[in-house]
Amino acid sequence: SRPTAQATQATSPCDCSSSVLEDPAMYQQQQAQPQYETVTLPGDAFPGKQYTFTSSNGQQVSFAVPAGMGPGSSVNVDVGAVAAAPQHQQYAQYAAQQYGAQQQMQPAAAQYAQYTAAVAQQQQQQLAQQQQYAALLAQQQQAAQYAAYQQPAQQQQRGSESVTLPGGAFPGKEYSFAAPDGRTVTFQVPQGMGPGSVLTVSY
């Protein structure tokens, strides 16, 4: 429910019709006297509740229910200040406030953009470091696997055998024998050795 309003205006005890022409300042003073509208509170009214109504001059006026007032009570609401301000001035003030709020938000938006850019750059750097670490770890694992693969082969190559040269041996002649691990080992007779000589062949 909405309150109902009736317009009233404070009057001066003087004869305004004659004083207006004689003293313009008095006319301005009379015009500046507060203007009231009597509002009858609806059934849901209680102290402190806000209401808005349209005054006789077309302005939207808001007021709070005074203490001790309730449904059916009559309240005199001062509408002079609202009537004196044109709607375009109110809109200009509102636009100025909105513009000022936007100007204040621009630095914050710029700082937020810089912060998000810095966070994205840091994340990219961390991702690059993780990729480099993963690549290095993979290389180390491959090197370890290769070393483990080569070690048994190297161990198998290590060995020696004492060979007694047969009767037809002479320096530079090649002989072959079977090593204990099953491999075939080939060697040449060294200089100064011949039949019956004993030499150690490493393999």
Side-chain angles (χ1 to χ4, degrees):
S1 58
R2 298 176 61 87
T4 57
Q6 296 179 352
T8 60
Q9 184 170 356
T11 58
S12 174
C14 66
D15 183 8
C16 298
S17 60
S18 60
S19 60
V20 166
L21 298 178
E22 296 174 358
D23 189 2
M26 182 178 295
Y27 172 75
Q28 295 177 358
Q29 181 178 2
Q30 292 174 0
Q31 290 298 318
Q33 290 179 355
Q35 182 179 356
Y36 297 94
E37 288 194 14
T38 302
V39 178
T40 302
L41 299 178
D44 58 349
F46 58 87
K49 185 174 182 178
Q50 295 283 337
Y51 287 101
T52 301
F53 68 98
T54 303
S55 64
S56 59
N57 53 23
Q59 301 292 333
Q60 293 291 320
V61 182
S62 297
F63 71 98
V65 177
M69 297 288 188
S73 301
S74 296
V75 180
N76 291 328
V77 180
D78 184 3
V79 297
V82 177
Q87 292 183 357
H88 70 275
Q89 292 182 356
Q90 293 180 355
Y91 179 78
Q93 293 177 355
Y94 171 78
Q97 292 176 355
Q98 293 297 320
Y99 177 77
Q102 292 178 357
Q103 293 297 320
Q104 292 178 356
M105 290 176 62
Q106 286 181 356
Q111 292 178 357
Y112 179 76
Q114 293 177 355
Y115 170 75
T116 53
V119 171
Q121 184 178 5
Q122 184 177 6
Q123 291 177 349
Q124 291 179 354
Q125 292 177 352
Q126 291 179 353
L127 179 60
Q129 292 176 355
Q130 291 175 357
Q131 292 176 348
Q132 291 178 357
Y133 176 76
L136 179 61
L137 183 62
Q139 291 178 357
Q140 292 178 350
Q141 290 177 351
Q142 290 178 357
Q145 292 175 357
Y146 181 77
Y149 171 77
Q150 291 293 327
Q151 186 174 5
Q154 292 175 358
Q155 290 177 353
Q156 290 178 0
Q157 292 177 358
R158 296 175 181 177
S160 62
E161 186 77 16
S162 294
V163 178
T164 301
L165 297 177
F170 57 87
K173 186 175 181 179
E174 290 187 352
Y175 290 95
S176 297
F177 66 93
D181 58 2
R183 290 181 297 163
T184 299
V185 181
T186 300
F187 68 96
Q188 290 183 350
V189 176
Q191 292 293 329
M193 290 193 175
S197 299
V198 179
L199 70 154
T200 300
V201 180
S202 297
Y203 56 89

